[in-house]
Amino acid sequence: MTDQDSLALLFEQHRPRLRRIAERMLGSASESDDAVQDVWLRASAAGVDDVQNIGGWLTTITSRACLNILRARAARGEIPLDDDGGDPVVEPEPRTPDPLTQAQREDAISAALTAVHERLSPAERVAFVLHDSFDVPFEQIAELLERSPEAVRQLASRARRRMRSADVAGTRPARERRPVVDAFFAAARAGDFDRLVALLSPEVELRIDQGLSATSLVRGSASVASRALMFAIPDAVLEPVLIDGLPGVVVLVGGRAVSVMAFDVDGDRIAAIDAFAGPARVAELTLPTR
């Protein structure tokens, strides 16, 4: 058996996964087949003599091929080209009730997810799909995108918020999840640790983005509740907003925005919190005019 035959056998073993990666990124079966065929041509031309991890190597080639296709779409105006690192879209929360009926909402879930996925920038889509769907480490994605691992983490985080907002928007509008957010802040101000823990999912994640790659992650209901008590500001004014479609708040102290927080609410508990903290980081965001 020749080296080329051995490579062909290895490639066929990995082809189903490579095609899934391409289809998730591109959303097109025909383009996915073309991308995977291009990967085979590139792989067969390069050879695998110096390759330590064939699966990771083929994943990188596939991702790069998809990234080129996505950037070509962006150049044609088919998808956004904004790869700036993942600042959220902050907008006023509508005061009027959602006009959609429950049946319409259920019918809209799939379409909403697809539409949001199509609006992700090339880098957001690559970071989100590779990390969240295929467990590719941020460090590996960072090499592909030529960014820092922290910048890639932020890209994936923004994509995740957008996808979550589309998912929940089909079944439960933000205004119906707002009471859980309000209860969270009420418990924090009252110093009620047990109530905070009850409002948080046991696996809750708090991601704190302070800019300049200074991002921290807090996991678990007890740890997040302790953090909320530690940084509760009794005289803060909370301005309700939507952040990438999720219920959130702008935290104002003395009329100045000091943090912005988005809440992923699942049922009657908070599953994740994205916080943008500090005047410098908040100043980088576009906030609604008060």
Side-chain angles (χ1 to χ4, degrees), residues 30-88:
S30 61
E31 282 189 307
S32 300
D33 289 335
D34 291 342
V36 172
Q37 183 60 29
D38 182 55
V39 171
W40 162 247
L41 294 175
R42 292 172 184 270
S44 61
V48 294
D49 291 343
D50 299 322
V51 177
Q52 300 295 322
N53 180 350
I54 183 70
W57 181 64
L58 290 173
T59 294
T60 297
I61 298 176
T62 302
S63 302
R64 186 168 288 117
C66 292
L67 184 60
N68 290 338
I69 292 172
L70 292 171
R71 285 173 171 165
R73 288 186 193 173
R76 297 193 298 268
E78 297 175 19
I79 61 174
L81 187 56
D82 177 16
D83 291 347
D84 62 0
D87 279 349

Side-chain angles (χ1 to χ4, degrees), residues 108-260:
I109 294 175
S110 179
L113 286 168
T114 300
V116 171
H117 195 265
E118 289 300 319
R119 290 199 297 272
L120 298 180
S121 71
E124 285 174 339
R125 196 182 299 201
V126 168
F128 173 68
V129 169
L130 287 181
H131 183 265
D132 284 41
S133 297
F134 297 96
D135 296 322
V136 178
F138 284 126
E139 290 75 13
Q140 184 176 336
I141 304 171
E143 293 180 8
L144 170 67
L145 295 177
E146 297 181 342
R147 296 165 184 256
S148 69
E150 192 52 52
V152 172
R153 187 186 301 274
Q154 291 182 11
L155 287 168
S157 180
R158 178 173 185 179
R160 195 179 301 117
R161 288 194 304 271
R162 289 180 171 180
M163 297 302 291
R164 285 200 307 259
S165 70
D167 190 14
V168 297
T171 56
R172 194 178 178 199
R175 63 185 174 81
E176 293 183 10
R177 290 170 280 136
R178 174 65 60 183
V180 180
V181 177
D182 294 341
F184 171 84
F185 282 104
R189 283 175 162 168
D192 191 338
F193 178 80
D194 291 339
R195 176 59 175 155
L196 280 171
V197 170
L199 289 165
L200 297 166
S201 168
E203 298 82 24
V204 64
E205 289 190 350
L206 166 62
R207 293 176 285 269
I208 307 170
D209 177 359
Q210 295 176 297
L212 298 176
S213 298
T215 299
S216 57
L217 178 64
V218 181
R219 288 192 177 98
S221 55
S223 296
V224 173
S226 297
R227 184 90 179 201
L229 290 178
M230 188 184 307
F231 291 97
I233 306 174
D235 58 347
V237 175
L238 307 177
E239 180 178 307
V241 292
L242 294 181
I243 302 173
D244 288 332
L246 295 175
V249 298
V250 176
V251 181
L252 303 163
V253 177
R256 184 183 187 189
V258 296
S259 65
V260 176

Side-chain angles (χ1 to χ4, degrees), residues 276-289:
F276 302 83
R281 183 65 180 102
V282 173
E284 297 174 349
L285 306 180
T286 302
L287 302 180
T289 302

